Amino acid sequence: MRTSYTPRPAAGFAAIARDWAAALDSSGSLPVSVSAAATALALELHGMDRLVAAESWSGFEAERLGRRLAESPFDRMPSMLTETVEAFAAAEPVGPDSAAPSSRWWAVCAHVLTGYADAIRERALDDQEALLAANIAVREREIEALQTTLEDRATHDPLTGLINRTAFDERLAARDPDDDQTLSVLVVDLDEFKWINGSYGHVVADQVLRATAARLTQTVPADAQVARYGGDEFAIATALGREASDLLAQAVVDALAAPFEMSVGSVTIDASVGIATTGGEISLDATDLIHHANRGLAAAKAAGGRRFVRDDMLSEGEHVRYRGDLRHRLEVSTALRHAAGDGSLELHYQPIVETATGRVVAFEALLRWRYHGILRRPAFFMDIAENSAMIIDIGNWVIDTAVAEVAQLRSEIPGGDVAVSINVSARQLRDRDLGARFAAALEKHDLPASSLWIELTETALIADEENAAEVLSTLADLGLRLSLDDFGVGYSALSNLSNFPITIVKIDKSFVMALRGSDQDVERRRRVMIGSIQAMATALGIDTVAEGVEDLDLHHRIQAIGCTYSQGWFHGIPQPRERAFEWFRRGTPGAT
């Protein structure tokens, strides 16, 4: 029984089988010759000969056979079908008596090919679905990871890895307000961080912040929470009580005072800490805890920093005073920030004379600031400036102005070789660009290096000895003279003379002024001490400057001791440029 056949459109081999079936003639024979090899390959298809010999068959059964073949590990299947197709495509038509496969064979073949092609296509679709499912699973994992990252970013500081202010506040706020268990909050602020940021740049500043976070984490108890609360501010929440949290605060101050080894060398900072505690009879919510800890921090900073203050240790009067101090510092800081560019800074000059002859050899440049119409001395504002990057801008202004004004003075007097002595702060000594700043000023005004004396204190030297040694070495290599101020009252005066390239020491005025005191024993000891300093300096090839020479008697005493230079009111008080330089122009420096 012959079954009519209408092949379904399909890709690949099924489409070719459709063309074969359409080519059957009315006798049921295919008018083409098929090679014996191709026919043998086709007949090797599993089960195909059974279907052709059957009395009845269905296209569905043939297609199912094709699907089984597609799913089997029969490796020859693709090459066999390809050979068969190529053989039929290349065959030539022959006469009606030629032997050829029956139409039933071709119908079965067409259905098998259709089933095979459908199975292959569906397998591809299944593979695509599996691949899509796998991609979706990957994307879901990526989204979950991204969500975790975003949540982490929302609650953690990316620089230090600590929780951020938002997370810290939320965790404090989540505390049961009726919980009477002890909780202490410490707010930690780095006293000198703005200067580090301004002097070394953001890379080193970030290194310091990461190192600070690590030290805090190592210092606090394991169950404490540490957060980066702001730019250079950290917060700690701990279950420690009053006494234990006081000990922790001191441990934090001590830990952060130790030098940090950064990429630029050793960096030293200080920290202030404010503390507040709740629990028991004292009940504070999260907002109050932070507020009270910040009040303690303000008091610690107003007292000079590098300490901790507990808010409830302060009286209301102290709170008022500290708030007033902070308000004053803020106002001064805001105005001072613009001082280098608004014309409110000026330099006064005091002569330094050769003790034996009275000849002016240098002028010390002394900074003044006109604030609210009053000319302020450095004691009014320098502490604020040195606790921020402003000191660098102000120091640069002093260098540029002093060099320019002395250069003008030297140009007005043929052969004038007067020098200018410029004070340098501890913060400036950490500035690696300080040497380049002085070199540029000298080059701009065509001055020799010998026309600059750099004046610094022993406190500035020991604040960061490693950086100070490097910067001072650079200045000495330029040919500048380095002068150590207030010699004899510092921490390690003798070692400073060997550790740093000092060429001038300024004997503190407290020694000089005691030479004319009423206590003869004190006078004798001071005279011996000044004489010893002078003898030591002479042996080391170092010049001396006696400060505080206020009258003729002291001048004679200093002459007798043999000090190289002297400075004080007897030789001239600090005055604005024109009045101070007029003495030099006339060549008659003297008492006023």
Side-chain angles (χ1 to χ4, degrees):
M1 174 178 174
R2 181 174 180 178
T3 303
S4 63
Y5 170 66
T6 304
R8 294 178 296 127
F13 294 120
I16 297 173
R18 179 193 61 205
D19 295 337
W20 292 347
L24 291 172
D25 60 14
S26 58
S27 65
S29 300
L30 189 67
V32 294
S33 172
V34 182
S35 69
T39 302
L41 286 170
L43 291 175
E44 282 183 32
L45 294 173
H46 295 282
M48 198 153 187
D49 52 349
R50 180 182 61 78
L51 286 175
V52 173
E55 287 295 325
S56 63
W57 63 277
S58 68
F60 174 77
E61 186 177 359
E63 291 181 11
R64 188 169 60 182
L65 172 62
R67 288 179 177 274
R68 285 202 303 273
L69 291 175
E71 295 168 358
S72 71
F74 184 37
D75 296 337
R76 293 183 61 199
M77 187 68 183
S79 60
M80 290 168 58
L81 291 175
T82 301
E83 270 190 73
T84 302
V85 170
E86 290 177 349
F88 276 105
E92 297 179 357
V94 295
D97 297 331
S98 299
S102 67
S103 59
R104 172 179 289 193
W105 191 94
W106 288 114
V108 170
C109 183
H111 276 283
V112 170
L113 291 171
T114 299
Y116 179 84
D118 285 348
I120 294 298
R121 184 176 66 253
E122 289 171 5
R123 181 188 299 175
L125 291 175
D126 289 342
D127 290 344
Q128 290 178 357
E129 290 177 359
L131 180 61
L132 179 60
N135 286 337
I136 290 174
V138 170
R139 292 293 180 267
E140 287 176 345
R141 288 195 295 271
E142 290 176 348
I143 290 172
E144 289 176 0
L146 179 60
Q147 288 174 333
T148 301
T149 300
L150 291 176
E151 290 173 359
D152 186 73
R153 291 284 180 86
T155 57
H156 287 74
D157 171 49
L159 178 64
T160 63
L162 300 176
I163 61 173
N164 59 21
R165 178 173 186 160
T166 300
F168 187 84
D169 288 348
E170 286 178 351
R171 294 181 188 185
L172 284 186
R175 179 174 177 271
D176 186 349
D178 296 328
D179 188 352
D180 62 354
Q181 290 186 344
T182 300
L183 177 66
S184 294
V185 169
L186 291 73
V187 179
V188 183
D189 185 82
L190 305 184
D191 294 335
E192 303 175 354
F193 184 73
K194 290 181 179 179
W195 178 87
I196 292 174
N197 206 358
S199 298
Y200 292 115
H202 296 298
V203 173
V204 175
D206 287 348
Q207 291 175 2
V208 171
L209 287 173
R210 284 192 291 267
T212 298
R215 278 198 194 168
L216 289 175
T217 303
Q218 294 166 1
T219 304
V220 303
D223 59 350
Q225 295 181 348
V226 182
R228 184 183 177 195
Y229 209 66
D232 59 346
E233 193 171 287
F234 297 82
I236 301 168
T238 174
L240 297 177
R242 287 176 55 88
E243 292 184 4
S245 60
D246 285 351
L247 293 175
L248 174 60
Q250 186 60 54
V252 166
V253 172
D254 294 340
L256 297 183
F260 289 89
E261 296 303 324
M262 299 290 102
S263 60
V264 296
S266 179
V267 175
T268 304
I269 60 173
D270 292 323
S272 300
V273 182
I275 317 175
T277 299
T278 184
E281 297 180 356
I282 303 175
S283 179
L284 299 173
D285 61 18
T287 302
D288 287 339
L289 267 174
I290 295 295
H291 174 67
H292 283 259
N294 275 323
R295 286 172 63 171
L297 175 64
K301 294 185 75 68
R306 196 173 180 178
R307 70 193 66 212
F308 74 88
V309 172
R310 177 177 291 281
D311 175 65
D312 53 17
M313 294 167 52
L314 304 172
S315 67
E316 187 58 34
E318 288 174 316
H319 278 304
V320 172
R321 186 175 72 254
Y322 283 132
R323 284 198 298 270
D325 289 344
L326 287 175
R327 190 160 47 245
H328 164 74
R329 292 176 68 88
L330 178 60
E331 291 173 354
V332 171
S333 176
T334 301
L336 192 59
R337 195 172 302 278
H338 307 287
D342 64 11
S344 58
L345 294 178
E346 58 184 80
L347 293 178
H348 286 199
Y349 294 90
Q350 184 174 30
I352 300 173
V353 306
E354 190 174 52
T355 306
T357 65
R359 180 177 65 91
V360 176
V361 295
F363 284 96
E364 181 179 358
L366 300 167
L367 182 62
R368 301 290 186 263
W369 179 39
R370 196 167 296 280
Y371 177 66
H372 289 176
I374 301 174
L375 198 62
R376 305 286 186 173
R377 295 174 179 269
F380 177 80
F381 60 87
M382 192 53 69
D383 176 63
I384 296 174
E386 290 188 349
N387 280 315
S388 73
M390 288 186 292
I391 189 61
I392 302 299
D393 294 334
I394 293 173
N396 289 340
W397 179 90
V398 171
I399 293 170
D400 293 339
T401 304
V403 172
E405 292 181 347
V406 168
Q408 181 180 351
L409 175 63
R410 288 168 64 107
S411 68
E412 294 173 356
I413 302 174
D417 58 356
V418 68
V420 62
S421 182
I422 297 176
N423 290 275
V424 170
S425 71
R427 305 298 180 270
Q428 288 175 279
L429 277 184
R430 298 177 186 173
D431 183 3
R432 300 296 180 88
D433 295 328
L434 185 63
R437 169 65 66 175
F438 277 113
L442 290 172
E443 182 179 4
K444 179 180 179 181
H445 298 285
D446 193 25
L447 285 181
S450 59
S451 64
L452 277 184
W453 295 7
I454 308 304
E455 196 165 316
L456 46 123
T457 64
E458 290 179 305
T459 304
L461 290 180
I462 67 172
D464 192 344
E465 291 191 20
E466 184 177 341
N467 282 325
E470 182 177 342
V471 173
L472 292 180
S473 177
T474 300
L475 298 179
D477 290 343
L478 290 174
L480 310 185
R481 301 199 67 183
L482 303 181
S483 173
L484 186 58
D485 197 12
D486 301 331
F487 187 79
V489 296
Y491 299 93
S492 54
L494 296 180
S495 64
N496 288 332
L497 297 182
S498 60
N499 294 338
F500 303 101
I502 303 299
T503 59
I504 301 172
V505 293
K506 300 186 75 172
I507 302 171
D508 187 71
K509 63 181 180 181
S510 62
F511 291 94
V512 175
M513 297 182 70
L515 292 177
R516 60 187 180 108
S518 57
D519 189 326
Q520 293 185 353
D521 185 52
V522 171
E523 178 184 339
R524 180 182 58 80
R525 288 200 300 267
R526 294 301 189 190
R527 187 170 59 253
V528 170
M529 292 179 70
I530 295 176
S532 299
I533 293 173
Q534 180 61 47
M536 178 185 62
T538 301
L540 294 173
I542 295 175
D543 291 332
T544 57
V545 177
E547 296 184 288
V549 179
E550 297 188 354
D551 55 36
L552 183 60
D553 177 58
L554 283 177
H555 174 64
H556 287 157
R557 291 173 185 267
I558 291 300
Q559 277 184 321
I561 292 173
C563 293
T564 317
Y565 308 116
S566 59
Q567 179 181 0
W569 284 14
F570 175 70
H571 302 294
I573 65 173
Q575 296 192 87
R577 176 189 60 185
E578 286 303 319
R579 293 184 61 186
F581 289 176
E582 183 59 29
W583 296 340
F584 182 76
R585 294 187 183 97
R586 294 199 313 262
T588 56
T592 59

